[in-house]
Amino acid sequence: MLNLDDHPHRRYNPLLDEWVVVSPHRTKRPWQGQVEAPAPTTLPTYDPQCYLCPGNARAGGVTNPAYTGTFVFDNDFAALMPDAPAGELVVSHGDGPPLLRAVAERGICRVVCYSPRHDLALPQLTPAELRAVVDTWAAQYAELSALPWVRHVLIFENRGAMMGASNPHPHGQLWGTSFMPVQFAREDASQRSYYAAHGRTLLSDYLAIELERAERLVCQNEHFVALVPFWAAWPFETLVVARRPAPSLVALDGAERDGLAAMLKELTTRYDALFAAPFPYSMGFHQAPTDGAPHPAWHLHAHFLPPLLRSATVRKFMVGFELLGEAQRDLTPEQAAARLRALR
Ligand code: H2U
Ligand code: ZN
């Protein structure tokens, strides 16, 4: 009989329609790798060299205003452009289907500074400051949604050098694109087909199971729940789900936005406590497509995808079997949730 705590198995991810291998028996193997404590770094409240601090010059030559709250600007090294030329390339061999395909796409890439303070991160912001970040994200989603060619807006953050963040100043990015990126398109298809068949959002039903079983919950408030998803691939991956199936940040009322702000503070505080160091991650919000149509199947959520496994320096690598086959984990999602739940 399968026991999820002891026996190797695969778990299904209904959002992405893919699988992850779980190897709980391996968490019992001895660990002989090195565990170093990171050197504590103290950051100044203002860094004259930082391209995100108020009043400083950026690489493109623009000077930041003396901003006092959040601050949004167009990325000086944007990956996509709003006015790129249209066109496509399609090449087939004989009467076969296209094997070479390229399509011109447009996009707007922006940087969002969460605070003028160089030395703070999400856990150190006050609830009111975090609420201002949520409001800024919502306003940006609304602004980019209003452009007729923008079909999707991804709001995300890379935190920590391990995740490729270029600067410790608290900031994230957002990209509005003329296309739906592949991960998003898979979640879109899954949520639509679930809603079409059952008249409820996939994540409402999933959340009901998780609240009932209470094995993978990390923390919750009146409006949001954070949990380690049953199908988590990264060791301490979490999903932050709105209790109400709101399609986007714009649809949240004031109390729900405060709830999200409180949830971001609590979850990131727990993450930083886990290995007593700033916890690196990529996080981002999945929200309804921005094509102007109603999206009742869409249920707002955020994914936190952190690489750390065993300490502030020992990370999980997605290599070998993961790169060439499918994701694999040793620590179970239930063990990860219990660790995060126990902290404060
Ligand atoms: P990351 O830390 O996630 O890389 O985000 C920082 C972004 O800031 C990055 O995309 C941009 C980089 O292109 N940037 C500017 O727009 N102007 C600058 O002067 C430096 C960095
Ligand atoms: Zn700074």
Side-chain angles (χ1 to χ4, degrees):
M1 253 282 279
L2 169 64
N3 176 346
L4 296 185
D5 296 330
D6 292 318
H7 304 140
H9 58 276
R10 286 167 94 203
R11 296 190 185 190
Y12 180 64
N13 179 338
L15 276 174
L16 291 176
D17 186 24
E18 67 180 27
W19 293 80
V20 53
V21 174
V22 184
S23 313
H25 56 293
R26 292 180 81 210
T27 52
K28 282 147 198 148
R29 94 202 135 116
W31 166 252
Q32 296 185 315
Q34 210 181 340
V35 176
E36 313 142 30
T41 47
T42 40
L43 294 169
T45 58
Y46 165 79
D47 177 355
Q49 304 302 321
C50 171
Y51 55 76
L52 298 178
C53 275
N56 288 2
R58 298 207 304 273
V62 181
T63 298
N64 295 328
Y67 67 96
T68 55
T70 62
F71 169 53
V72 182
F73 63 91
D74 286 336
N75 197 313
D76 298 308
F77 307 96
L80 291 158
M81 307 288 191
D83 46 12
E88 63 177 352
L89 171 91
V90 181
V91 178
S92 326
H93 185 68
D95 59 358
L99 293 178
L100 306 188
R101 290 178 70 184
V103 190
E105 297 288 3
R106 302 161 71 185
I108 295 187
C109 302
R110 290 182 172 162
V111 178
V112 183
C113 297
Y114 301 156
S115 162
R117 283 274 300 267
H118 185 78
D119 58 326
L120 303 182
L122 288 184
Q124 286 92 37
L125 298 185
T126 65
E129 289 167 334
L130 281 159
R131 168 64 195 271
V133 173
V134 171
D135 287 342
T136 300
W137 285 332
Q140 286 293 318
Y141 177 88
E143 185 184 318
L144 297 187
S145 299
L147 297 171
W149 57 268
V150 172
R151 293 188 64 207
H152 177 252
V153 176
L154 188 68
I155 294 167
F156 64 96
E157 175 187 350
N158 300 315
R159 183 182 183 205
M162 195 180 272
M163 291 311 288
S166 53
N167 184 327
H169 195 113
H171 69 283
Q173 300 189 40
L174 56 102
W175 296 23
T177 54
S178 55
F179 60 95
M180 295 212 267
V182 286
Q183 297 278 329
F184 178 82
R186 289 164 81 181
E187 290 202 359
D188 182 59
S190 301
Q191 292 184 94
R192 279 176 202 273
S193 63
Y194 194 95
Y195 189 83
H198 308 291
R200 301 180 304 270
T201 70
L202 186 160
L203 286 179
S204 308
D205 283 6
Y206 174 62
L207 189 56
I209 295 174
E210 291 294 9
L211 291 169
E212 164 82 29
R213 297 178 76 102
E215 295 166 304
R216 283 168 294 274
L217 301 175
V218 175
C219 50
Q220 49 182 301
N221 63 34
E222 201 186 328
H223 300 289
F224 282 85
V225 179
L227 52 89
V228 179
F230 182 72
W231 52 83
W234 293 94
F236 293 95
E237 175 175 338
T238 54
L239 184 69
V240 175
V241 191
R243 286 194 196 259
R244 181 173 70 85
S248 72
L249 293 168
V250 173
L252 298 182
D253 65 25
E256 289 170 319
R257 291 180 187 207
D258 284 339
L260 176 56
M263 173 53 75
L264 292 172
K265 186 169 176 77
E266 164 138 31
L267 181 60
T268 54
T269 300
R270 285 173 187 269
Y271 273 146
D272 282 7
L274 184 62
F275 298 127
F279 202 73
Y281 56 71
S282 268
M283 69 80 80
F285 288 90
H286 279 149
Q287 315 182 61
T290 56
D291 51 8
H295 289 285
W298 256 93
H299 194 138
L300 169 71
H301 58 278
H303 298 275
F304 277 79
L305 308 172
L308 293 181
L309 174 61
R310 216 181 304 272
S311 73
T313 52
V314 178
R315 62 165 293 168
K316 156 93 181 160
F317 284 95
M318 289 286 186
V319 293
F321 192 86
E322 287 95 337
L323 268 187
L324 298 156
E326 67 189 29
Q328 184 273 342
R329 63 181 295 135
D330 297 347
L331 179 80
T332 65
E334 297 73 39
Q335 290 168 331
R339 296 270 306 269
L340 289 169
R341 200 166 49 232
L343 295 164
R344 196 48 228 252

